[in-house]
């Protein structure tokens, strides 16, 4: 994409992160999410990873957690909205 726009990759990346928050879905306060999506991503490839939990219906990212161990994912799921 950077080549097509004739701009540097870092400029494109910076602009993406500036605009991305404007397009995130807002949570619907009165609805408890039903379907959970879990996505793993690299914070520093080969060294540090994280996971995010998202409402599959609205697209709202509810939580981002550093780490990807079973225990860290379990703790993140226990904090999911509507859990006791």
């Amino acid at each position: 994409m950077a080549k097509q726009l004739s701009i540097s990759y870092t400029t494109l990346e910076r602009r993406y992160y500036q605009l991305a928050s404007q397009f995130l879905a807002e949570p619907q306060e009165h609805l408890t999410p039903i379907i959970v999506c879990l996505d793993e991503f690299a914070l520093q490839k080969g060294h540090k990873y994280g996971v995010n939990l998202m409402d599959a219906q609205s697209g709202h990212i509810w939580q981002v957690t550093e780490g990807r161990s079973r225990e860290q994912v379990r703790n993140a799921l226990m904090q999911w909205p509507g859990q006791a």
Side-chain angles (χ1 to χ4, degrees), residues 29-76:
E29 298 296 329
H30 62 285
L31 297 177
T32 299
I34 298 171
I35 303 171
V36 178
C37 288
L38 177 95
D39 187 29
E40 176 185 290
F41 59 93
L43 294 165
Q44 183 181 5
K45 292 201 184 287
H47 300 282
K48 292 173 70 175
Y49 292 88
V51 293
N52 65 37
L53 297 175
M54 181 174 91
D55 178 354
Q57 294 173 324
S58 71
H60 177 74
I61 296 174
W62 285 94
Q63 184 176 12
V64 176
T65 304
E66 187 174 333
R68 62 179 178 175
S69 73
R70 181 179 295 193
E71 185 66 24
Q72 289 164 318
V73 170
R74 187 183 74 73
N75 288 338

Side-chain angles (χ1 to χ4, degrees), residues 2-39:
K3 285 183 182 180
Q4 289 178 348
L5 296 173
S6 299
I7 59 174
S8 73
Y9 172 78
T10 55
T11 301
L12 179 64
E13 183 180 33
R14 184 175 57 250
R15 193 70 178 129
Y16 169 79
Y17 286 112
Q18 288 171 345
L19 292 173
S21 63
Q22 295 174 16
F23 295 100
L24 289 175
E26 289 297 321
Q28 297 176 356
E29 298 296 329
H30 62 285
L31 297 177
T32 299
I34 298 171
I35 303 171
V36 178
C37 288
L38 177 95
D39 187 29

